[in-house]
Amino acid sequence: MIGNFLDQFWSLTFGGLSLGFIYILIALGYTMVYGVLRMINFANSEIFMVGTFATIIIIKDVFQFTQTSEYATGFRLWLILGTALISSMLVSGILSMLVEMVAYRRLRRMNSGVLAPLISAIGVSMVLSESVRILTDSRPVASPRAMEKKFLGQFFDAGIRIDNTIIVISALVLFGILITFVNKTRMGKAIRAVSMNPNAARLMGINIDGVISATFLVGGLMTGAAGFFYTLKYENTSAFIGFELGIAAFTAAILGGIGNIKGAFYGGLALGLLETYASFFLGTQWKAVTVFVVLVLVLYTRPNGLFGEALTQTRA
Amino acid sequence: MFNLRDKGAEIWESQGRVGRVAIAVGAIAIVAALPFMGGTFLNTPVADYESVLVYPIAMFVLMAIGLNIVIGKSGLLDLGYVAFFAIGAYTMGLLGTKTELNTWEILPIGIAMAMFSGIILGVPALKLRGDYLAIITLGFGEIVRIVALNLGALGRSEGIQGIPTPPGIFGIEYAFDSHRIYYWTLLILILLAIWMVRRLSARRAGRAWESIRQDEDAAELLGVPTFKYKVWAFVLGASVGGAAGVIYASKTLFIAPDNFTLQISILILACVVFGGMGNIWGVILGAVILGYLPDRIRFLSDARLLVFGLVLVLMMNLRPDGILPRKKREKAIVKKDAS
């Protein structure tokens, strides 16, 4: 067993890394919203699901790929991937803003506590997943393969697959852009201000509604990108996919300390690797249990998550 | 805004002892007579009306009362309540098929098992608060389901089949399709649960829960053993869920992990919040509506869950405190706290 594990260590690690980066992007959707609202955005998992469908629609209907088409190469390939990435980001981002308007805005103005918005977000996510389920006849949808999944090279006997490489690099770039946005721009500053103290931020003339909309938009953009990467890696989706990935990504956000952007990064990576290793040793059916057991242990010893301290300090 | 809950409380409090007994007996009689109203507008178009009364409606009501102890009374967000339901059901399934015990003998064992697992989950988890508690309980619910899905002894995805029906008592026979009998059995359990919750709320435990819900730190400083009462709330909630699980298993005769998904936890939570957290009548009303609605609007067939989701969003936006919110007096304190 151990010998096998060492043999496969690097290929497992590469798979786990790309899964981890998908988790990071979804976890950012949770963590950004939690940062400003102190609420779990329950609909984020369905926003991710819609993102995966947006990618498939672009590949299948806009670029007319079928299961038997030849792989795209060169410029056309990058055009296709770029369009799919940007459109799923946009679709998810705008959807996320709409979710905020429908499920949260009115309740937030009424100052109604935590549970009412949670239920209304659950309602929205039911509406989203059910609409997609009806549209797809409850069947999973396969994505045609637009790109040949060749190996770029070898690393200790493990092939580096091109899709995993694309995921890791582009997710890193997106994460870098997000960090710059939050730390360097005016809007990012406003988001941080609202997350530290909404009342003080309002007194300083910050448009709270605008900031919250922007946060949902940014979270949605990241989640949508995750939808694209997921489709690229696993090549199929269904109306029910949001739940499982959403729970995992949420766990990742908690693991790193929810509300903390860097926490989402480390939490997502840790979870992606952990899940991959755990499914190697125990079989895929137990991976969710391992994840939750680790989560319980982490929360028990460090109740704010691994990187949650900065958050609680600013919150008090 | 018109507050039905306060109106009802006014009428109730203005009555003497005789009047109260009359109201209670009348209400119980109406509820007990519900299975005979199948022919009226209440009828559900596709599913058998009487079986809908048993599951989901009566079952949801029972579980919502249990969850209300945890969420509504003590303010602990539990997203894994289905775990206790599953533990009760699997206790019934295992003991009912492997041993000679009958449902009535298993019922206390199932409740004890659920309470025990409530302690196992509660003691570590209740040190955490708010959203962290929510995610831990959610994880627990999933772990129970995954264990049931993967352990050979629990039948994996096929679940457990051929669970016996309860033996007759007082000459009443439980047949597989005698929905009425199950409905009345559940009604008795529901009344017992209501009685338990009402008695506890009026006593030390109820006051401790109330103080924990409003401000845990202040309660702790004033000498309320908060941790102990939080575990108690958890364990009592679990016991109700376990009882519901035992009856459920001996009603459906067949259980599988698919019956115990997170969706059930979410639905029961929705019942509690939708009806009016903390107020037991509101919670019951919420459970009746949310249990009944998807089957009533089955003519929408495929789109019924979609409509259900829309109703949730709309209702929460119009009445965020639920249909029958808790007493104004209790609410006022929360409002002051928030401002």
Side-chain angles (χ1 to χ4, degrees):
Chain A
M1 196 71 165
I2 296 291
N4 264 341
F5 177 68
L6 290 179
D7 284 344
Q8 295 198 20
F9 179 75
W10 287 106
S11 71
L12 284 174
T13 307
F14 291 142
L17 272 182
S18 63
L19 181 65
F21 275 96
I22 294 174
Y23 284 158
I24 290 171
L25 292 171
I26 310 174
L28 284 172
Y30 285 106
T31 229
M32 296 281 301
V33 169
Y34 191 89
V36 292
L37 285 187
R38 303 272 177 269
M39 278 176 201
I40 304 168
N41 179 10
F42 212 89
N44 199 43
S45 53
E46 308 311 327
I47 291 167
F48 163 77
M49 182 270 294
V50 172
T52 62
F53 276 96
T55 301
I56 290 189
I57 287 171
I58 292 291
I59 295 179
K60 226 181 186 165
D61 298 330
V62 177
F63 287 97
Q64 306 284 333
F65 267 95
T66 58
Q67 295 293 358
T68 52
S69 336
E70 281 180 30
Y71 300 131
T73 48
F75 174 70
R76 184 153 173 267
L77 173 66
W78 297 112
L79 179 73
I80 293 168
L81 294 184
T83 325
L85 173 63
I86 288 168
S87 17
S88 31
M89 282 174 78
L90 283 179
V91 167
S92 298
I94 291 165
L95 185 67
S96 176
M97 272 169 81
L98 289 177
V99 165
E100 192 267 330
M101 284 175 201
V102 174
Y104 289 94
R105 183 158 290 182
R106 206 183 125 87
L107 286 169
R108 204 176 67 237
R109 290 198 179 136
M110 287 194 282
N111 204 357
S112 61
V114 183
L115 278 171
L118 185 71
I119 302 293
S120 109
I122 289 170
V124 169
S125 64
M126 276 176 97
V127 170
L128 287 177
S129 71
E130 279 298 305
S131 326
V132 175
R133 185 185 69 78
I134 291 167
L135 287 174
T136 58
D137 265 344
S138 315
R139 274 194 284 266
V141 178
S143 158
R145 188 180 280 194
M147 175 184 66
E148 189 189 359
K149 293 201 169 170
K150 57 186 175 212
F151 290 97
L152 290 175
Q154 292 278 328
F155 187 84
F156 286 106
D157 294 345
I160 303 174
R161 237 170 51 190
I162 185 163
D163 54 333
N164 285 343
T165 319
I166 292 179
I167 291 172
V168 171
I169 292 175
S170 3
L172 269 175
V173 169
L174 282 172
F175 188 75
I177 295 175
L178 180 78
I179 291 275
T180 323
F181 168 76
V182 172
N183 285 327
K184 296 280 155 69
T185 62
R186 222 175 133 73
M187 186 45 105
K189 209 174 187 178
I191 289 178
R192 279 182 292 144
V194 173
S195 96
M196 272 180 201
N197 189 337
N199 288 329
R202 184 180 286 123
L203 291 175
M204 296 296 125
I206 292 174
N207 172 5
I208 300 262
D209 281 348
V211 169
I212 290 175
S213 270
T215 312
F216 270 83
L217 174 69
V218 172
L221 289 176
M222 294 295 147
T223 310
F228 166 76
F229 295 134
Y230 182 89
T231 319
L232 189 70
K233 185 170 158 80
Y234 295 102
E235 297 180 328
N236 67 64
T237 182
S238 78
F240 313 107
I241 199 176
F243 177 71
E244 196 185 324
L245 270 277
I247 290 288
F250 185 64
T251 311
I254 293 265
L255 201 62
I258 193 162
N260 179 330
I261 294 177
K262 283 199 182 111
F265 184 84
Y266 296 115
L269 271 192
L271 195 79
L273 290 173
L274 189 78
E275 234 187 74
T276 318
Y277 296 146
S279 30
F280 178 80
F281 282 114
L282 305 167
T284 41
Q285 71 270 32
W286 292 106
K287 75 178 180 199
V289 174
T290 339
V291 167
F292 280 121
V293 169
V294 169
L295 182 71
V296 171
L297 290 178
V298 168
L299 286 184
Y300 202 56
T301 46
R302 291 186 66 98
N304 290 316
L306 293 173
F307 303 91
E309 252 152 7
L311 175 81
T312 37
Q313 273 162 15
T314 53
R315 199 193 290 187
Chain B
M1 200 195 291
F2 175 70
N3 189 329
L4 201 60
R5 197 243 173 262
D6 288 357
K7 209 74 188 166
E10 236 170 67
I11 296 173
W12 176 256
E13 273 153 21
S14 66
Q15 296 293 326
R17 196 180 185 87
V18 183
R20 291 187 185 185
V21 171
I23 293 176
V25 169
I28 293 173
I30 290 173
V31 174
L34 277 178
F36 300 113
M37 299 181 191
T40 62
F41 72 99
L42 289 173
N43 204 3
T44 45
V46 178
D48 179 30
Y49 168 72
E50 287 186 18
S51 82
V52 169
L53 271 183
V54 179
Y55 188 90
I57 297 179
M59 210 63 91
F60 275 20
V61 170
L62 189 57
M63 282 197 276
I65 291 174
L67 186 61
N68 184 45
I69 303 176
V70 185
I71 295 190
K73 294 280 174 208
S74 4
L76 308 164
L77 187 49
D78 180 354
L79 290 183
Y81 192 65
V82 73
F84 305 122
F85 183 54
I87 285 166
Y90 268 93
T91 309
M92 175 67 213
L94 275 184
L95 294 181
T97 49
K98 301 266 160 69
T99 65
E100 296 295 303
L101 297 174
N102 67 40
T103 306
W104 310 123
E105 289 154 359
I106 296 171
L107 186 61
I109 303 177
I111 293 175
M113 286 295 287
M115 290 173 93
F116 181 64
S117 55
I119 293 177
I120 293 197
L121 168 67
V123 169
L126 288 171
K127 297 234 160 86
L128 305 164
R129 289 187 188 178
D131 298 326
Y132 292 111
L133 178 64
I135 193 78
I136 290 279
T137 50
L138 188 151
F140 180 68
E142 280 295 282
I143 286 176
V144 168
R145 187 180 66 84
I146 294 168
V147 167
L149 192 62
N150 291 304
L151 269 193
L154 299 177
R156 296 222 168 79
S157 59
E158 276 111 64
I160 299 174
Q161 300 173 6
I163 300 165
T165 53
I169 36 169
F170 310 127
I172 306 163
E173 287 302 319
Y174 285 82
F176 165 66
D177 51 356
S178 57
H179 303 298
R180 275 171 214 183
I181 313 287
Y182 284 98
Y183 173 70
W184 288 324
T185 315
L186 278 170
L187 197 60
I188 291 170
L189 281 177
I190 289 169
L191 288 173
L192 276 174
I194 293 176
W195 178 73
M196 174 179 91
V197 171
R198 280 181 66 92
R199 296 320 295 158
L200 280 170
S201 302
R203 282 177 164 70
R204 195 184 241 317
R207 292 196 299 273
W209 290 336
E210 183 64 30
S211 67
I212 292 170
R213 185 177 64 78
Q214 289 185 3
D215 190 332
E216 200 178 325
D217 295 317
E220 181 82 55
L221 285 173
L222 290 173
V224 178
T226 51
F227 185 68
K228 185 178 117 189
Y229 279 109
K230 285 199 302 188
V231 175
W232 261 115
F234 227 70
V235 168
L236 286 174
S239 73
V240 178
V246 171
I247 303 292
Y248 175 76
S250 56
K251 163 76 172 68
T252 57
L253 313 184
F254 159 68
I255 48 170
D258 282 353
N259 305 357
F260 308 104
T261 54
L262 178 73
Q263 264 88 342
I264 305 282
S265 299
I266 301 287
L267 261 176
I268 305 295
L269 172 67
C271 293
V272 172
V273 179
F274 189 86
M277 227 180 15
N279 173 20
I280 196 163
W281 308 113
V283 167
I284 292 171
L285 185 66
V288 169
I289 292 175
L290 294 198
Y292 178 63
L293 198 61
D295 275 304
R296 184 71 184 92
I297 57 175
R298 225 170 236 241
F299 56 88
L300 298 167
S301 63
D302 227 18
R304 70 179 192 281
L305 283 175
L306 201 156
V307 175
F308 183 72
L310 284 175
V311 170
L312 277 186
V313 177
L314 209 66
M315 262 306 299
M316 288 334 289
N317 274 287
L318 295 178
R319 293 199 71 143
D321 290 324
I323 306 173
L324 293 178
R326 67 172 90 237
K327 275 185 210 154
K328 279 218 178 93
R329 178 169 55 82
E330 295 168 12
K331 227 166 58 187
I333 305 170
V334 179
K335 276 277 153 60
K336 212 172 102 196
D337 186 14
S339 61

